[in-house]
Structures are given as structure tokens and as C-alpha cells.
Amino acid sequence: MKAEGLFASAAINIAIRVTEDEVLEIGGLDGLVLVRLFKFGIKFFSVCSILGLFVLLPVNYTAPDGPPKSSNSMDSYTISHINEGSDRLWVHFSCLCFISCYGLYLLYKEYDDILAKRIQQLQNNRHHPDQFTVLVREIPLCKEHLAYSCCVDHFFAKHHSYAYRSYQILYNSKDLEKVLKEAKHVSGKLEGYRRKSLSKKQKVDPSLSEVLGQEAQITFYQERLEGLYCKIHQMQKENRTELKELPVAFVTFKTRWGAALVAQSQQHPNPLMWITDMAPEPRDVLWRNLAIPYRHLPLYKISLYVSVTILTIFFAIPVTAIQGIAKIERLKKWFPPVMAIYLIPGLGPVITGYLPSAILNGFIYIIPFAMLGLAKLAGYESRSKHEIRVCNMVFYFLVGNVFFLSLLSGSLLDQIGESFSHPKHIPTHLARAVSAQADFFMTYILTNGLSGFSLEILQLALFIWDGIRSRTIGRGKGEKVYLNSFPYCRIIPLVSLSILIGMAYAVVAPLLLPFIIVYFFLGYVVFLNQIEDVYEPAYETCGQYWPYIHHYIVLAIVFMQINMIGLFGLKSKPSASFAAIPLLLLTVVFNEYCKIRFLPSFHHYPIQNAMNNDELDEKNGVKDAYVNAIDVYSPSCWKPVNLSDEESSSTEPLISSSQERI
């Protein structure tokens, strides 16, 4: 206990000590965006908690002539305890207006601040090669030379002569990649036999047959590896004109504003030709996906949607079963033997209280990894776009299958009998059903916060995987560290789902709000530590996750308002329902304004900022910042290799495939 207290104290000290500038330096703007998400939750729900605990909670609990209070239910502390048509509902309406406006104010402030930090980050990273480089796809074939490369040089030299510098065409290197993969496999085998041979030689009396057998295997794989490396060097040095060119190229420009202008403009009357976009970072490129024809990408995305739909349908089964466990007392009407669990002292509360949330969290933990695998079908050209898309899919998956399905399935199991036996009480039952799941989601927040963040610190799953890999497939030297990039597509959807749950119950069941604050504070402390000491950024999008986070929070506010409009109607207070409709319209208009005001600056590199960065280089006497920009956009299969199977630190390929224009 003392060690745990010391760790908690150290983590809190880190959270207080670490500044946003330090987070920005270590984890980039993407890491800072995640930290700001937790800070948003703390600021928003702190105010909501004060309002809920000191205003809404007394109003709910002291409602006269309300339903009888139950010691086993949270209904006495929720809006369900308010009578139909009661004027106390105007207090809830006032709180709804305040919470909504406060949330929109915080969102606007955060969006504006992160946009300013994005512009500053682009300036800090102004010497990165991706700011000078444009990814060009669907290049037309030159009929005279039957090649794509000559078309690239002719097109950009003619239409963008003021800024065009050089280009690098991509080639179909499947055969080379196969040989490299085989060489890596043989190298692993060779390393394994060497280790076995060394361990057997250290024995007191190793047998001669064992020693000779090991030496023969080592010699065999050594000769095979040398042959493969000779073949690799030969394939890398051969004339690339013999290889099949791809209609994809990285084009470098002399200025940032020249690259930005080309990336944001249509190059041809046919929008499916000469498709341009700012190039991702060299470390961010998924080279294999660039070989996919651009016109085939819609088919790949359709296959992704079909796969996600199938996963969604299958995931609905365990969620419904979990709600059956949570509502096990109601299930005795259909299956009385289930009550046998109460014969064991203490077992019933554990199964109906903690177990459903624990099982649900276990299923949720698998979802991001499944989505990462499925999203590979879409053929995104960069890891960042791939993970942003996964982040979006995971969020909507969790909202549909975890929140709404848990809410509906739990409410139906709870109310289905009474609704059919007393049809005139259906509105009352539906109003109470919204808050009936508050205890389940409270347990979910506690389980996700305490156990989820603890597992995040321990990295138990990765320790187990590393132990299995080190004894099976990962015995060789030079293995890449498995844990390197930050799991944005896992963390952001889960945190956004918690915001949705908190907003859904901010006015309905304010007793849930203190647990939400604890959740966000724990997450803030834990992930500051993870950013500082555990994860390394695998790419930098300069804050492109924030527009999606903003959209998720706006959806949560909209759902809160729609939920309250329905509750006011079911509570026989139609005047409050009609009064809340303008609030809903205000939120929608606010979201549309933010799309116009902020979103384009996150999708594009503003020309003014690009030109300012060029002028800043000129002022500081920096010349030819673009010289090495094209050299880094070369697939790893074209980089030199040696017998130790270690890649050269040089980023230049053996044969330069770029054509330069002075």
C-alpha cells in the first residue's frame, strides 16, 4: 500500500509539474490534443458536478409526492423522481441551457487555441520534407515513351515552373519485397541456430554429433543468407527502367507555398487525373498501399464497411447477454433457476454489479485492434489517415453497440412486462427507463477508470505478448520494439464515449458526475506519464485529431438535448420540450459555423502561413531547405542491407530514382 501511495503521489506530481510546452515537445501536437481532451473533461464536468450536486440532486430527492424511495435504486436521485407536469422540471431546463452553452463555449475556446498551436507547430516543423513535397496519383501514361516519369517532369515543369524542383516516381517492388522477407526469415533461423549452438557448447560434455549438426545448419543458412543478399543487391542496382512504374510520384518544390498551392488545386479538367495532396511524413507512408490504383479505392472502402457491419451485428450478441446478467433479477420471470446464484453469500451482487461492466470492458478492449485490422482493407496511403479512420469507426461502433444497445436492451428487459400489463403507464415507464441504466454506466465508468488505467500503466497484455514472442518468433536480435506509437484510435473513442455518457446523465442523474471527474483526472495523470515515459510518436498530424474530437463532443451535447426534449414530453411538460428546441438548433448552427471557421485550416496548409515560413527562412539566411526533401521518400526495400540484417542509417537508396530540375 505504501508503494502504491508513493506511485500515486509521484504521478500527481508529474501531472502538476509537466507543462503543455513539454508535452508538445515530447509527444507532438497530437499528444497535446489528447491531454487537452482530458482537461476539457475535467473543466466541463467539474462545473456540471457543482450544478448537479447542489441544485439538481436536492430538487430530485425532495420532490413531493414522487414515487416511493428505494434503497436499492438510484431513481430517488434522478429525474425519474419528479412527478409529471411538475414545475421543478424548469430547473432541469435551466441547467440544460447552462450546461449546453458552457460546453459550446469551451469547445470554441479549445478549437481556436488548438488551431493557433497547429499553425505554430507547422512553423516549428517548417524544415520537415513533407512541407515541400506533394503526393501525386493517377498520373497519365506517356504514349511516346510508355512511362509515367516523363509525364511528371513535363507537366510540373510546364505548369508550375516557378516552384517545381524534382520528382521521384514509385516502382512495383513486390519481387524485391518477397526476397527481403525471405532474407529476414532466414536471418531469424540463423540467429536461432547460433544461440542453440552456443548454449550446447557451454555444456560440460556436448556430444560430437550435436555440435556437427548445429554447425552444418549454421553453414547452410549462412550460405543461403549470403545468396539472398547478393540477389537483393543485384535487384537494387539493376536499371529501374526495367521495372514497372506506378502512376504515383512524390514531387518536391522549392517553396512551401508552391507545394501547398499545388496540393490544394485541381490540376486537370478530369478530377480523377493528376490527383494531388500534401505528402505525409516519410515515416508515416504506407508504401504498399500506394500501389493500389486510386480508382479502386471505393471498392476497398465498400469491403471495409461490409466487414464493420458484420462485426457490429456479432458484437450485439455479447452486449445483450451482458445486460441480461445486469438485469438478472428480472430474468427470473422467464428463467427462475437463475436465482440460484444468491444461495452463495456475496456472489449475487458481484455478478449483477461488477461482472457485466468487466466483461463489457474486455470486449471493448478487443474492438480497436479488430478495427485496425479491418481498416487495412481501405488502402490508406499513410498510417495517420489509417488510424484517424479507425478512431472514427471505433467511436461510432462504441456509441451504437455499447451505449445505445446497452441502454435499450437494459430498459426493455426492465420494463417489458409492466408496459404490456399497464399500457397507460408507458410514457412514465419510458421516462424512468432513461435513468434506469445510470447504475450500470456508473459501474462501467468506475471499471474503465480504475482497471482500465491500471492496465494501461502495467501494459499487461503487451508484457504477455512480448513473453510469447521472445520465446517463439522473436528470438533474433534487432527486433523492433512492439510498443512505440501512441494508441490514439483506442484512447480517444473510449474517452469520447465517457463524455457522451457523462453528458447524457448530467441532467438526468447528476450523482454520476463525480465519478466522471475521477475518471478524467486519473486519465489525465496516467497519460501524461505514458506520453512522457512510455510512448514515442510514430507520426505528427499537427492536431488533425481535434476536429473529430470536437465532432464527438458536439454529438454528445446534441444527444443530451434530444434526450431532455423527450423526457420533458414524457413528463407532461411540453412547454419545456418546445423551449429546448431552439437550444438544439443553436448547437447545430454552432457546429456548422465551426466547420466553416476552423475545419479547412486543419485539412489544408494555409498559403499565408506557408509563405510566412518561406519568408522566415529567407530572413534567417536559410537557403535550399528543400535539397534533401525528395531523398527521404524512398521505400525501405531500396535501402542498403548487410549480412547483419540491419538497415543502413542512410536514407538514400542505392540508385536515385529522382529527376532534378535546377
Side-chain angles (χ1 to χ4, degrees):
M1 293 296 293
K2 185 177 180 180
E4 293 177 358
L6 290 174
F7 176 80
S9 177
I12 294 173
N13 289 333
I14 290 174
I16 297 174
R17 176 175 51 85
V18 176
T19 63
E20 288 192 352
D21 291 336
E22 291 175 341
V23 175
L24 190 63
E25 182 180 356
I26 297 171
L29 187 55
D30 294 331
L32 181 61
V33 161
L34 185 69
V35 172
R36 294 291 287 265
L37 175 59
F38 282 104
K39 292 179 72 174
F40 174 89
I42 294 172
K43 289 187 288 186
F44 178 78
F45 288 110
S46 295
V47 174
C48 292
S49 295
I50 295 173
L51 194 65
L53 296 179
F54 293 100
V55 178
L56 292 176
L57 200 63
V59 169
N60 293 336
Y61 190 77
T62 60
D65 301 325
K69 296 179 175 62
S70 172
S71 59
N72 298 324
S73 175
M74 286 183 58
D75 286 352
S76 301
Y77 306 97
T78 67
I79 198 173
S80 298
H81 199 242
I82 304 293
N83 283 334
E84 295 180 9
S86 173
D87 288 336
R88 293 191 174 215
L89 292 171
W90 286 111
V91 178
H92 295 79
F93 172 79
S94 301
C95 292
L96 173 66
C97 293
F98 177 82
I99 290 173
S100 299
C101 293
Y102 180 64
L104 298 181
Y105 164 75
L106 285 182
L107 278 176
Y108 185 88
K109 187 178 178 181
E110 290 290 327
Y111 219 150
D112 187 58
D113 192 28
I114 290 176
L115 176 58
K117 290 185 180 297
R118 169 178 166 82
I119 293 173
Q120 183 61 42
Q121 187 75 350
L122 288 172
Q123 181 177 325
N124 296 339
N125 298 341
R126 64 184 182 275
H127 295 140
H128 288 194
D130 53 286
Q131 295 199 16
F132 296 93
T133 310
V134 172
L135 174 63
V136 185
R137 308 186 74 169
E138 291 301 307
I139 301 169
L141 183 67
C142 177
K143 296 181 180 179
E144 181 180 354
H145 301 94
L146 298 178
Y148 296 105
S149 54
C150 58
C151 272
V152 177
D153 185 67
H154 179 266
F155 181 86
F156 286 99
K158 178 180 179 181
H159 299 289
H160 302 281
S161 57
Y162 54 89
Y164 170 58
R165 172 70 177 184
S166 60
Y167 75 94
Q168 177 158 297
I169 201 76
L170 297 188
Y171 296 87
N172 190 344
S173 55
K174 288 184 178 180
D175 295 336
L176 179 58
E177 289 177 355
K178 289 180 181 179
V179 178
L180 281 168
K181 186 177 181 180
E182 184 181 359
K184 183 178 180 180
H185 175 72
V186 173
S187 178
K189 287 278 190 180
L190 178 61
E191 183 63 24
Y193 279 112
R194 283 175 175 170
R195 292 175 60 185
K196 287 182 180 179
S197 177
L198 182 61
S199 62
K200 288 184 178 180
K201 287 180 180 179
Q202 291 175 349
K203 292 181 179 180
V204 180
D205 295 317
S207 63
L208 182 61
S209 60
E210 288 182 352
V211 173
L212 292 177
Q214 292 292 336
E215 292 297 333
Q217 291 288 349
I218 291 173
T219 303
F220 170 76
Y221 282 108
Q222 180 71 32
E223 292 176 352
R224 186 179 174 187
L225 187 62
E226 290 177 358
L228 288 172
Y229 279 132
C230 289
K231 185 176 181 181
I232 291 170
H233 283 294
Q234 183 180 0
M235 295 177 70
Q236 287 179 332
K237 291 179 180 179
E238 70 181 1
N239 189 353
R240 293 194 183 187
T241 57
E242 299 178 2
L243 299 177
K244 182 181 179 181
E245 290 182 345
L246 297 174
V248 183
F250 288 96
V251 181
T252 297
F253 295 83
K254 300 175 184 178
T255 58
R256 298 172 186 84
W257 72 266
L261 191 62
V262 171
Q264 298 173 32
S265 57
Q266 183 174 325
Q267 306 299 320
H268 194 272
N270 182 357
L272 293 179
M273 294 180 64
W274 294 105
I275 300 169
T276 56
D277 195 8
M278 291 300 296
E281 291 180 302
R283 60 179 176 173
D284 192 23
V285 179
L286 296 176
W287 299 100
R288 183 174 298 179
N289 290 347
L290 291 177
I292 301 174
Y294 186 83
R295 302 187 184 198
H296 295 174
L297 290 181
L299 298 177
Y300 284 76
K301 291 180 180 179
I302 290 174
S303 64
L304 170 63
Y305 296 146
V306 172
S307 302
V308 172
T309 302
I310 295 174
L311 179 63
T312 303
I313 294 172
F314 278 99
F315 193 81
I317 299 174
V319 172
T320 306
I322 288 168
Q323 287 303 318
I325 297 174
K327 300 295 179 181
I328 200 166
E329 292 183 357
R330 278 79 176 183
L331 290 179
K332 67 180 182 180
K333 298 177 182 178
W334 293 278
F335 190 64
V338 78
M339 300 305 295
I341 64 170
Y342 286 97
L343 298 177
I344 303 175
L347 181 61
V350 171
I351 291 179
T352 59
Y354 177 76
L355 187 60
S357 297
I359 296 174
L360 184 62
N361 275 284
F363 280 107
I364 289 175
Y365 187 82
I366 303 172
I367 293 303
F369 299 101
M371 291 292 185
L372 277 172
L374 293 177
K376 292 180 180 180
L377 300 173
Y380 294 104
E381 68 267 17
S382 64
R383 185 184 304 175
S384 58
K385 288 186 177 181
H386 174 241
E387 294 194 5
I388 287 175
R389 182 59 181 170
V390 170
C391 179
N392 212 29
M393 292 192 303
V394 171
F395 172 75
Y396 286 109
F397 184 90
L398 293 179
V399 169
N401 266 30
V402 175
F403 181 74
F404 282 109
L405 191 58
S406 295
L407 187 67
L408 294 176
S409 60
S411 301
L412 288 175
L413 286 171
D414 194 13
Q415 305 293 335
I416 189 169
E418 284 188 84
S419 296
F420 282 105
S421 58
H422 302 88
K424 64 180 181 179
H425 294 156
I426 288 178
T428 305
H429 295 327
L430 290 176
R432 188 178 296 117
V434 176
S435 58
Q437 291 295 92
D439 52 351
F440 170 78
F441 285 113
M442 183 183 295
T443 309
Y444 166 79
I445 292 294
L446 286 172
T447 305
N448 191 27
L450 297 178
S451 64
F453 292 143
S454 300
L455 292 174
E456 173 64 34
I457 294 174
L458 294 174
Q459 297 292 339
L460 184 61
L462 295 180
F463 277 131
I464 295 173
W465 166 247
D466 185 68
I468 295 174
R469 190 181 61 167
S470 63
R471 288 164 175 77
T472 54
I473 61 175
R475 296 178 177 177
K477 294 182 179 180
E479 290 291 331
K480 294 182 179 179
V481 180
Y482 178 76
L483 181 62
N484 57 355
S485 61
F486 204 94
Y488 296 105
C489 56
R490 177 168 60 88
I491 304 304
I492 290 177
L494 287 174
V495 177
S496 301
L497 177 65
S498 299
I499 291 178
L500 175 65
I501 294 172
M503 287 190 177
Y505 288 96
V507 183
V508 175
L511 198 61
L512 181 67
L513 296 175
F515 299 97
I516 295 284
I517 296 177
V518 173
Y519 171 86
F520 278 98
F521 181 75
L522 286 175
Y524 177 71
V525 173
V526 167
F527 284 102
L528 270 181
N529 175 76
Q530 302 300 88
I531 290 173
E532 189 175 39
D533 297 327
V534 178
Y535 295 111
E536 295 180 3
Y539 53 81
E540 172 63 38
T541 69
C542 290
Q544 289 188 13
Y545 279 98
W546 185 257
Y548 294 90
I549 294 173
H550 172 90
H551 182 66
Y552 303 154
I553 298 175
V554 169
L555 283 180
I557 295 176
V558 168
F559 174 76
M560 174 181 64
Q561 295 167 350
I562 294 175
N563 181 37
M564 292 306 301
I565 290 173
L567 279 172
F568 288 143
L570 294 174
K571 283 290 185 179
S572 301
K573 203 69 174 177
S575 55
S577 294
F578 287 115
I581 292 176
L583 186 64
L584 177 62
L585 297 177
L586 174 65
T587 306
V588 175
V589 171
F590 167 82
N591 187 46
E592 293 302 316
Y593 172 76
C594 288
K595 287 181 180 179
I596 299 172
R597 169 64 180 85
F598 299 111
L599 191 58
S601 297
F602 280 84
H603 287 170
H604 303 295
Y605 191 174
I607 302 297
Q608 179 180 343
N609 298 119
M611 186 168 288
N612 290 341
N613 291 335
D614 290 331
E615 293 174 353
L616 184 61
D617 275 353
E618 292 180 6
K619 183 179 179 180
N620 295 334
V622 178
K623 297 181 179 180
D624 296 341
Y626 52 82
V627 168
N628 295 323
I630 200 66
D631 295 333
V632 297
Y633 285 98
S634 178
S636 59
C637 62
W638 295 105
K639 297 176 183 178
V641 293
N642 51 46
L643 290 178
S644 62
D645 198 28
E646 295 177 354
E647 292 185 356
S648 172
S649 60
S650 171
T651 58
E652 297 186 5
L654 291 176
I655 302 295
S656 176
S657 63
S658 62
Q659 303 294 329
E660 188 172 296
R661 183 178 181 85
I662 305 298

